[in-house]
Amino acid sequence: MNYRMIRYITGQLLLVEGALMLLPLAVSLIYGETETVVAFVLPILILAVLGTGMVIFKPKNQTIRAKDGFVVVGLSWIALSLFGCIPYIVSGLIPNFVDAFFETVSGFTTTGSSVLFAENFARLWSPESAAVGMRGVFFWRSFTNWIGGMGVLVFVLVVMPQQDMKSSRLVHVMRAEMPGPKVDKIVATVKKTSAIMYGIYTFMTAILVILLLFGGMDLYESLCSAFATAGTGGFSIWSDSMISYGGGANVDFCTWVIAIFMFLFGVNFNVYFLVLTGKLATALFSEELIWYTGIVIGSTAIVTYNIYSIYGDFAESLKQAFFQVSTVITTTGFATADFNIWPSSSKALLLLLMFVGACAGSTGGGMKVSRLVIAFKSAVAEIKHMGRPRQVSRIRFEGKPVEKDTINGVFAFIISYIFIFFGSFLIISVVDGKTIETTFSSVAACINNIGPGLGDAGPMANYAFYSPISKLILAFDMLLGRLEIFPIIMLFSPSVWTEK
């Protein structure tokens, strides 16, 4: 275990987090929110001192092995959340530590589950509360979705000095943080790969901001909405999520724009890289993209048919269906309707989509389309093998044979996922005693990084009713879901911490 390199990279992360807080600090200053300035100045100073102390001595041995990559990612995300919740506590928006930690983890993991009530949002927009406005704090809340979407350590790899990138083994850090059954460099170096990913991510976010400005939102609203959409996090700055868009925008236009971009951010970013390099046919015929698109189209058609009797208009039904299917499968968590009151078949389908998730290498959560496709093909191959034991068949995905290690990793993930899911479900059921619908969907929404569940945790409700123990378990589930289990689980393995 290379402790010094882990300390060094974690220190870089703390410095980056402090630098990122300068943006919401600027928002507070622009809007004259002097009461909340200290909410950012304090953590910035703490992060600057700690981060500098951790990076001042550069390790001679800069090798990062696989287990080092998992550990640095797990520790960094916990540290990121612990320091990221300070603005909520100091500003008074969320004075309770457990609640603030829950909200911060939800933001960085792009889950979107919240403990805030309508009165908290009134402090943002109510004219009579302008003296203690929360625009800077709510900006930070949405910004955490964007930071966590592509992965903050991927960003650290972009901004680290070139001399700190000597070891090609830093790819283990990227693999541990990026979602999917297998993540590789798309160009020769980790730094360039990270830069390309963030370049695409930033460009798409900028396009979305411009479109939302055309839709009638002001710059602050457009930025916050774009951050939450791009990161597929779903933190809205309005108390009713995306139902009214604050009343100042073209609702239909903004609904379609956000729904389409949620779908686009759920696509594997390697597809966009292929498009940029002129390999359009390869991109469009990506097997994962075809499955993902087919699931979205099929689910949208079923839900549209199912809810037509509620809206009585095909265009409105299609809009609501596509938006909710897109927000659930990409695990964004926005809402333009209370799907908690939709027919049971629609709710069941949306619940199923919570587990499917978006594509590998996207900003979306869930189990990932590619992982489920590989698992399905493996099951089919095993059944065929039982009937013809001597027949040897190779599982192929994206036109390439799938390595045995990848298949084993897929099933290891699924088994671990099931144990953690039902373990969390049982503990929270005992601790809080809510209905099965509420508890089951809450765990599903958190471990799949979706946000809203069903029942008491529906899209028009929040998670404030849960006990502190349950909130910590759900926050733990969010981290497990975002980092795909193993980076967090490995922190509790004694063998990982040995020097050998």
Side-chain angles (χ1 to χ4, degrees):
M1 179 69 72
N2 191 344
Y3 290 109
R4 290 182 176 86
M5 195 59 183
I6 290 173
R7 178 259 302 163
Y8 185 76
I9 295 177
T10 305
Q12 293 276 7
L13 170 81
L14 297 182
L15 290 175
V16 167
E17 183 177 20
L20 291 171
M21 283 190 182
L22 292 172
L23 193 55
L25 171 61
V27 173
S28 291
L29 291 172
I30 289 171
Y31 284 101
E33 298 172 348
T34 54
E35 298 286 337
T36 61
V37 167
V38 69
F40 295 107
V41 171
L42 179 62
I44 287 172
L45 292 176
I46 293 173
L47 289 164
V49 172
L50 284 177
T52 301
M54 295 170 74
V55 304
I56 195 168
F57 297 108
K58 188 182 300 181
K60 292 181 180 179
N61 177 13
Q62 298 181 10
T63 300
I64 290 289
R65 293 171 290 180
K67 68 176 181 179
D68 298 329
F70 281 111
V71 168
V72 75
V73 167
L75 287 177
S76 296
W77 275 75
I78 292 173
L80 187 77
S81 301
L82 286 172
F83 289 105
C85 72
I86 295 176
Y88 296 135
I89 298 171
V90 176
S91 68
L93 180 66
I94 311 176
N96 179 276
F97 168 74
V98 173
D99 286 353
F101 181 72
F102 179 94
E103 196 81 11
T104 307
V105 172
S106 181
F108 282 126
T109 60
T110 71
T111 304
S113 301
S114 180
V115 296
L116 295 181
F117 293 94
E119 51 264 32
N120 297 115
F121 292 88
R123 297 185 66 185
L124 171 65
W125 299 109
S126 178
E128 59 270 17
S129 64
V132 287
M134 292 286 176
R135 285 181 176 83
V137 180
F138 272 86
F139 185 91
W140 170 244
R141 182 172 176 265
S142 297
F143 195 36
T144 58
N145 279 168
W146 193 83
I147 295 169
M150 186 55 64
V152 68
L153 278 163
V154 174
F155 182 73
V156 169
L157 296 180
V158 175
V159 300
M160 279 176 70
Q162 184 65 41
Q163 59 267 29
D164 293 345
M165 307 299 294
K166 294 177 182 178
S167 174
S168 62
R169 291 182 179 270
L170 280 175
V171 72
H172 292 305
V173 175
M174 184 178 73
R175 284 176 177 169
E177 187 175 47
M178 293 293 287
K182 186 176 181 180
V183 177
D184 278 313
K185 297 175 289 184
I186 58 176
V187 290
T189 68
V190 174
K191 188 177 181 71
K192 288 183 179 179
T193 296
S194 303
I196 289 170
M197 290 292 195
Y198 254 99
I200 296 170
Y201 186 48
T202 304
F203 177 76
M204 290 176 64
T205 304
I207 296 297
L208 177 55
V209 170
I210 294 170
L211 289 174
L212 293 177
L213 287 171
F214 277 113
M217 292 188 187
D218 62 30
L219 181 60
Y220 177 84
E221 294 168 340
S222 298
L223 284 170
C224 290
S225 299
F227 288 154
T229 303
T232 61
F235 268 163
S236 175
I237 53 174
W238 297 287
S239 60
D240 61 358
S241 190
M242 292 295 182
I243 291 179
S244 66
Y245 298 96
N250 183 328
V251 173
D252 284 342
F253 177 82
C254 290
T255 297
W256 278 108
V257 167
I258 289 177
I260 291 169
F261 270 83
M262 284 191 293
F263 172 84
L264 293 176
F265 280 107
V267 173
N268 192 322
F269 274 59
N270 285 357
V271 170
Y272 298 128
F273 178 74
L274 290 172
V275 173
L276 289 175
T277 54
K279 299 176 181 177
L280 184 61
T282 305
L284 293 178
F285 288 99
S286 162
E287 186 174 356
E288 185 180 32
L289 178 62
I290 292 171
W291 275 93
Y292 172 65
T293 304
I295 292 170
V296 171
I297 292 174
S299 300
T300 299
I302 293 170
V303 175
T304 300
Y305 173 79
N306 199 226
I307 65 174
Y308 179 79
S309 60
I310 297 176
Y311 296 97
D313 179 77
F314 175 77
E316 182 66 18
S317 300
L318 178 63
K319 180 186 74 175
Q320 295 293 350
F322 177 61
F323 189 96
Q324 296 311 141
V325 167
S326 187
T327 194
V328 169
I329 196 170
T330 62
T331 71
T332 305
F334 282 142
T336 55
D338 185 4
F339 56 78
N340 206 29
I341 61 174
W342 282 5
S344 296
S345 54
S346 290
K347 291 195 293 183
L349 180 57
L350 292 176
L351 185 64
L352 180 63
L353 293 178
M354 288 183 184
F355 293 93
V356 174
C359 298
S362 71
T363 62
M367 297 183 75
K368 303 296 179 298
V369 172
S370 59
R371 186 176 278 116
L372 293 175
V373 171
I374 291 172
F376 173 74
K377 288 186 174 183
S378 298
V380 171
E382 185 62 27
I383 292 171
K384 289 181 178 179
H385 181 70
M386 289 178 181
R388 296 180 179 178
R390 294 184 179 180
Q391 181 177 329
V392 178
S393 60
R394 294 294 302 272
I395 298 168
R396 302 181 70 85
F397 184 72
E398 299 289 8
K400 301 176 183 178
V402 180
E403 299 296 330
K404 192 69 175 179
D405 288 346
T406 301
I407 297 172
N408 291 340
V410 166
F411 283 104
F413 172 86
I414 293 174
I415 292 169
S416 301
Y417 177 98
I418 291 171
F419 274 106
I420 292 167
F421 183 95
F422 284 101
S424 301
F425 171 70
L426 289 173
I427 294 171
I428 294 174
S429 296
V430 171
V431 172
D432 282 294
K434 296 295 180 180
T435 64
I436 291 179
E437 180 186 48
T438 296
T439 307
F440 187 90
S441 65
S442 294
V443 175
C446 288
I447 199 170
N448 293 314
N449 304 131
I450 293 165
L454 301 173
D456 293 340
M460 297 298 109
N462 59 44
Y463 286 71
F465 62 86
Y466 276 118
S467 65
I469 293 176
S470 294
K471 287 174 185 171
L472 289 175
I473 291 172
L474 291 171
F476 184 67
D477 287 340
M478 293 179 210
L479 287 168
L480 287 166
R482 172 58 182 84
L483 300 179
E484 304 209 318
I485 297 177
F486 300 116
I488 298 296
I489 292 297
M490 288 181 71
L491 296 179
F492 298 93
S493 173
S495 62
V496 171
W497 296 96
T498 61
E499 288 286 349
K500 295 181 180 180

